[in-house]
Amino acid sequence: MADVVVVGAGLSGLVCARRLDEAGLDVLVLEARDRVGGRTLNEPIGAGRVVEMGGQWVGPNHAEILRVAAEVGVDTFPTHIAGQHLFAHAGRTSRYRGHIPSRIPLGVLDFRIAQARLERMARDIDLVDPASTPLARRLDTLTAETWMRRHMHTQSGRRLMRLSIKAVLATEPSELSFLHWLFYIATGGGLDSLIRTDGGYQQDRFVGGSQAIALRLADDLGDRVRLSSPVRRIEHRSDGVRVHSDAACFDAAAVVVAVPPHLLTMIEFEPALPAACNQLSHRMPPGMVTKFVAVYPEPFWRAGGLSGHATMTDGPISMTFDNSPPDGSPGALVAFALGDDARALERLSAEGRQEAVLDRLVELFGPRAADSVQFLERCWGREQWTRGCYAGFFGPGGWTSFGGTLRRPDGRLFWASAETAVHAHGSMDGAVSAGERAAQEALAAVGVVPPVVR
Ligand SMILES: Cc1cc2nc3c(=O)[nH]c(=O)nc-3n(C[C@H](O)[C@H](O)[C@H](O)COP(=O)(O)OP(=O)(O)OC[C@H]3O[C@@H](n4cnc5c(N)ncnc54)[C@H](O)[C@@H]3O)c2cc1C
């Protein structure tokens, strides 16, 4: 019998298990996939180099993931951003510097005024319980799209704001609760912090790829991590839990479920979860993102004075970055298809998607972009054990009806995952802090430390 079973070997579950292990508990991690890391994933691009197909960037305010990376000996390096960026809008591509394209001054002004207003409103958000923010219900029943239509005055400004929302949450503003958008701005330390490279969320990457952190955490835990062990059923009683996976069935004093809320529908609970918790699992859908990486012998765009970063308001991809390894060899461009664009690309064959993405890269970076030596794609909506990314978000009414159950323990059941984080919600940093918090709760439940005061 283990003290605690952790379901899911993403960053959240692995960090939780590490803390429980450090406290002297007997811990077991059950992972559905045949690998660890969940939404972080490295793909080889030759000569021992990798690119990240899942979460990859960290910013200066991501202290939790940076601390864990340092603990397991994974360094960071700056995202390559030197040079001019590209902005493709209304059929024309132009160059710019800074982090907002300046070609459409009225649109930029409209965007900046809206940003200031959003950041003012975000300062009032109660991060621990957004539903108790003043006027929460009113904010929660609006979509971000409705707010933009009411409060922004130019089509180009709205297109910039739509692009920012898609880039940050991988969802359409029409699907998103306005309260969730404000919460996300607050949890990320402001809109600039969310969209910036220097000084923001995209500032740094991990040497050897972000999945290296999960791989090292799992190495340290050794055979206490069981792969290919999807958890199908959890029986929970006042004196313990029984966790049924495809591999075996395990008894423990407590269980930490470290999977995103929408995947709870794939686990049977006995007795059934409270109604609000059951419903929450249907009310926090993930965004939709397909990530493409085109690999080249060298980062040829740098010689032309380009950074490799491009933003586009008219699809089929919305942004690109230079994703080459630290020494720039080989060259790699990462491209993101987000929300409806990613859904539209799913209707094409793999060859059709590759052609559509490379054609767009050629329009942006010139004919050499057609000559990729390797082309990778990862549609996270197609992944059985993820089903969409970057993270779960709330649509209209979600926070005020279901937010209160997001991380509330139920007897011997505890909840982790990036979606349960207060700070840097939905990110790798959030995954780590949620894992640490759930570990503290589980330790209190088995009597190792006093209960956590929330
Ligand atoms: C394309 C993409 C880009 C992103 N970009 C960034 C970024 O640049 N910076 C950033 O900070 N974040 C980014 N993110 C988000 C970040 O990767 C995630 O928030 C974080 O990795 C989530 O960790 P987690 O442990 O909470 O969840 P997950 O990584 O999803 O881990 C959950 C684990 O549980 C397993 N599982 C699910 N169901 C079961 C079951 N029934 N039984 C057993 N195991 C189960 C899954 O296989 C998975 O391994 C991105 C994500 C994606 C996909």
Side-chain angles (χ1 to χ4, degrees):
M1 170 159 161
D3 291 315
V4 181
V5 169
V6 176
V7 182
L11 284 167
S12 208
L14 290 169
V15 166
C16 178
R18 184 179 181 89
R19 298 300 171 237
L20 295 170
D21 177 58
E22 284 167 352
L25 262 56
D26 187 4
V27 62
L28 184 68
V29 183
L30 299 175
E31 166 55 48
R33 288 177 161 103
D34 59 2
R35 63 169 182 86
V36 299
R39 282 173 272 178
T40 61
L41 174 65
N42 292 345
E43 286 277 6
I45 53 170
R49 310 298 171 83
V50 297
V51 283
E52 311 91 328
M53 300 306 294
Q56 64 173 71
W57 286 294
V58 276
N61 58 354
H62 289 170
E64 305 295 324
I65 181 79
L66 289 169
R67 185 171 41 73
V68 169
E71 259 180 57
V72 296
V74 174
D75 291 331
T76 60
F77 68 101
T79 303
H80 178 87
I81 200 69
Q84 289 183 299
H85 321 314
L86 297 174
F87 176 56
H89 171 68
R92 199 158 71 78
T93 301
S94 49
R95 293 183 175 215
Y96 72 99
R97 289 188 190 275
H99 63 283
I100 298 274
S102 51
R103 191 180 97 205
I104 37 172
L106 272 182
V108 173
L109 181 67
D110 193 20
F111 178 90
R112 285 300 192 196
I113 292 170
Q115 176 182 359
R117 200 164 174 176
L118 289 168
E119 285 180 342
R120 241 187 350 262
M121 294 171 87
R123 280 199 284 276
D124 290 337
I125 299 293
D126 181 333
L127 280 177
V128 175
D129 180 17
S132 62
T133 298
L135 302 178
R137 189 73 195 164
R138 195 189 292 179
L139 300 171
D140 202 25
T141 48
L142 273 184
T143 66
E145 177 72 30
T146 310
W147 185 88
M148 281 192 300
R149 286 181 189 278
R150 283 189 195 158
H151 299 283
M152 295 186 70
H153 306 288
T154 64
Q155 213 181 11
S156 52
R158 283 193 290 270
R159 291 187 87 169
L160 286 178
M161 189 59 78
R162 261 184 220 117
L163 180 60
S164 302
I165 291 175
K166 284 175 72 157
V168 166
L169 283 151
T171 190
E172 299 294 328
S174 54
E175 300 173 300
L176 181 66
S177 152
F178 182 57
L179 179 62
H180 191 80
W181 179 222
L182 292 177
F183 163 75
Y184 213 84
I185 292 170
T187 186
L191 185 50
D192 267 345
S193 158
L194 290 168
I195 62 179
R196 279 183 80 114
T197 303
D198 277 357
Y201 263 47
Q202 281 69 239
Q203 178 172 285
D204 295 307
R205 294 167 58 200
F206 290 106
V207 177
S210 51
Q211 195 193 1
I213 303 168
L215 290 166
R216 292 198 189 173
L217 288 167
D219 270 357
D220 290 349
L221 288 162
D223 62 6
R224 282 162 293 174
V225 180
R226 307 267 176 102
L227 301 180
S228 305
S229 304
V231 168
R232 308 289 185 182
R233 176 179 164 87
I234 299 177
E235 293 164 26
H236 53 116
R237 305 172 305 269
S238 58
D239 59 344
V241 298
R242 177 165 290 175
V243 181
H244 300 256
S245 80
D246 283 6
C249 164
F250 303 93
D251 290 323
V255 58
V256 175
V257 183
V259 310
H262 67 276
L263 294 185
L264 293 182
T265 52
M266 294 167 77
I267 303 175
E268 184 188 349
F269 288 86
E270 178 57 43
L273 296 175
C277 196
N278 268 334
Q279 297 235 306
L280 165 72
S281 60
H282 294 275
R283 297 295 288 267
M284 203 177 191
M288 173 67 174
V289 53
T290 303
K291 203 165 165 178
F292 301 93
V293 176
V295 182
Y296 303 92
E298 61 189 25
F300 63 86
W301 51 93
R302 295 185 188 177
L306 292 174
S307 65
H309 177 41
T311 45
M312 288 134 272
T313 58
D314 39 15
I317 49 175
S318 296
M319 57 182 181
T320 69
F321 279 89
D322 184 324
N323 228 36
S324 312
D327 64 357
S329 175
L333 282 174
V334 61
F336 289 79
L338 302 162
D340 283 346
D341 291 331
R343 288 186 268 266
L345 283 177
E346 277 302 284
R347 294 195 278 276
L348 305 180
S349 63
E351 295 74 28
R353 282 191 293 277
Q354 175 165 346
E355 197 182 323
V357 172
L358 286 180
D359 283 354
R360 196 68 171 117
L361 294 181
V362 167
E363 284 165 18
L364 294 163
F365 298 102
R368 289 182 73 185
D371 302 328
S372 70
V373 291
Q374 192 180 357
F375 186 85
L376 302 164
E377 77 157 36
R378 176 75 42 170
C379 170
W380 288 89
R382 242 185 280 144
E383 295 269 314
Q384 171 82 309
W385 298 106
T386 301
R387 303 191 171 198
C389 268
Y390 320 115
F393 66 91
F394 276 119
W399 266 119
T400 44
S401 299
F402 304 102
T405 53
L406 201 48
R407 55 180 166 268
R408 184 186 301 145
D410 182 6
R412 290 173 176 268
L413 299 177
F414 300 91
W415 313 107
S417 89
E419 283 79 0
T420 66
V422 170
H423 176 72
H425 189 268
S427 71
M428 296 185 286
D429 190 69
V432 168
S433 63
E436 307 251 10
R437 188 248 319 130
Q440 283 300 311
E441 291 170 343
L443 285 171
V446 298
V448 175
V449 297
V452 181
V453 179
R454 263 184 299 275

